[in-house]
Amino acid sequence: MIHLKSKEEIAKLHRAADLVSRTLGMFAGEIKPGVSTLQLDTLAEEFIRDNGATPSFKGLYGFPNACCISPNAQVVHGFPSKDPIKEGDIISIDCGACIDGYHGDQAFTFAVGEIDPRTARLLKVTRESIYKGLSQVKAGNRIGDIGHAVQRYCEGYGYGVVRDLCGHGIGKKVHEDPQVPNYGSAHKGELIEEGMVLAVEPMINMGTYRVRQLKDGWTILTNDMKPSAHFEHDVAVVDGRPVLLSTYKYIDMAQGVTSDEEKPFEYNWE
Ligand code: MG
Ligand code: MG
């Protein structure tokens, strides 16, 4: 069942999403060779708790950590580990926080130092694809319009769009209806309505779209062991149009870059 949210609830979801965005922003200065992903996870949990929130993923379906951290060929649901990060790695971090009963859920794939130019393009295109999807989150459209836009854009570069995992509704639970696939047909699926809040999260592989799960029961990695990127934003339908609840501005600020990609999705929260 799809729970549509009031503007008051959307404001609370924005608060939670913004805290996750600030947590990811903090990572931008911390991800460097020699640091372990477990150290990053500890930092995230401390930051979330210091801000009066709880890490949404810790204990969710039995997951032990605050963040899913998935390097290189890992797609999603990787465990933070003691292995040190290396120059040239890409690190996908997926993080969630709950404040006042409402969740935020966001992901970003970070480059560690100089990375292979082909991998850099995968990150760029996956990040761009999320906005192709978000622009479809309008009242009157259908859920299939989102995945259709993401798929078209990414397959145009020859990339594999992961089928086995998808985005979702978000609210008082991290994962709510509807499911939001990153592939599919335009004009198909559930109707997008005022008050709908979604986590849109393209998982895009450099090679095949096929993935497999490790015996740990969690870690998803690409079948061909080529790299995979994961970007995720929370978005609400307000006044019929897509409004971003999460932001990459803290990451961009920390990395000294500017972008106007979020402009069409801004909202005056005052
Ligand atoms: Mg997530
Ligand atoms: Mg999610």
Side-chain angles (χ1 to χ4, degrees):
M1 203 178 107
I2 296 172
H3 295 278
L4 300 175
K5 277 81 179 179
S6 66
K7 284 201 172 160
E8 290 72 26
E9 288 181 290
I10 289 170
K12 288 182 178 181
L13 285 160
H14 169 245
R15 217 176 125 215
D18 195 69
L19 175 58
V20 180
S21 300
R22 283 187 283 133
T23 309
L24 290 177
M26 177 191 69
F27 283 138
E30 301 292 339
I31 298 182
K32 41 196 161 209
V35 174
S36 78
T37 54
L38 195 59
Q39 285 173 290
L40 298 177
D41 183 69
T42 305
L43 276 177
E45 180 163 356
E46 282 172 4
F47 186 78
I48 289 167
R49 293 197 190 278
D50 285 350
N51 281 279
T54 52
S56 301
F57 297 170
K58 198 160 190 169
L60 184 68
Y61 316 119
F63 192 77
N65 296 94
C67 300
C68 297
I69 305 187
S70 312
N72 302 319
Q74 292 188 10
V75 180
V76 287
H77 301 168
F79 291 111
S81 86
K82 288 182 179 165
D83 299 335
I85 292 169
K86 300 185 303 297
E87 172 88 14
D89 281 348
I90 58 168
I91 309 284
S92 297
I93 303 189
D94 191 347
C95 186
C98 181
I99 314 178
D100 205 10
Y102 289 85
H103 293 274
D105 178 12
Q106 193 186 17
F108 190 90
T109 302
F110 293 89
V112 183
E114 285 294 312
I115 62 170
D116 182 295
R118 287 168 302 168
T119 309
R121 192 182 70 156
L122 173 71
L123 267 50
K124 179 173 181 286
V125 169
T126 307
R127 179 169 171 165
E128 287 165 355
S129 78
I130 202 169
Y131 300 101
K132 305 287 177 195
L134 291 180
S135 64
Q136 297 299 319
V137 185
K138 291 186 268 202
N141 274 8
R142 292 192 174 266
I143 292 295
D145 291 312
I146 302 170
H148 181 72
V150 170
Q151 182 179 22
R152 222 169 93 159
Y153 190 66
C154 294
E155 288 186 347
Y157 287 86
Y159 296 148
V161 177
V162 173
R163 311 284 200 271
D164 292 2
L165 300 122
C166 57
H168 49 91
I170 184 165
K172 287 185 181 174
K173 289 187 187 159
V174 184
H175 296 133
E176 296 186 354
D177 289 336
Q179 292 202 338
V180 184
N182 296 302
Y183 64 94
S185 307
H187 319 304
K188 291 280 189 319
E190 289 90 344
L191 188 66
I192 297 174
E193 294 178 82
E194 183 72 16
M196 198 176 255
V197 182
L198 304 173
V200 175
E201 48 180 317
M203 288 155 254
I204 307 299
N205 300 346
M206 186 179 281
T208 177
Y209 70 84
R210 293 182 192 280
V211 297
R212 63 194 171 92
Q213 189 173 47
L214 286 186
K215 286 206 177 72
D216 63 20
W218 280 96
T219 311
I220 305 289
L221 74 172
T222 58
N223 257 8
D224 56 11
M225 293 303 284
K226 288 183 179 172
S228 181
H230 180 210
F231 287 81
E232 178 176 22
H233 267 313
D234 299 339
V235 62
V237 183
V238 181
D239 303 329
R241 71 174 187 90
V243 165
L244 262 180
L245 307 182
S246 52
T247 175
Y248 291 141
K249 71 182 175 193
Y250 305 113
I251 295 172
D252 285 349
M253 274 191 282
Q255 295 183 335
V257 297
T258 52
S259 162
D260 56 6
E261 65 197 6
E262 293 182 7
K263 271 246 159 9
F265 311 102
E266 282 175 356
Y267 184 75
N268 183 8
W269 295 99
E270 302 310 313

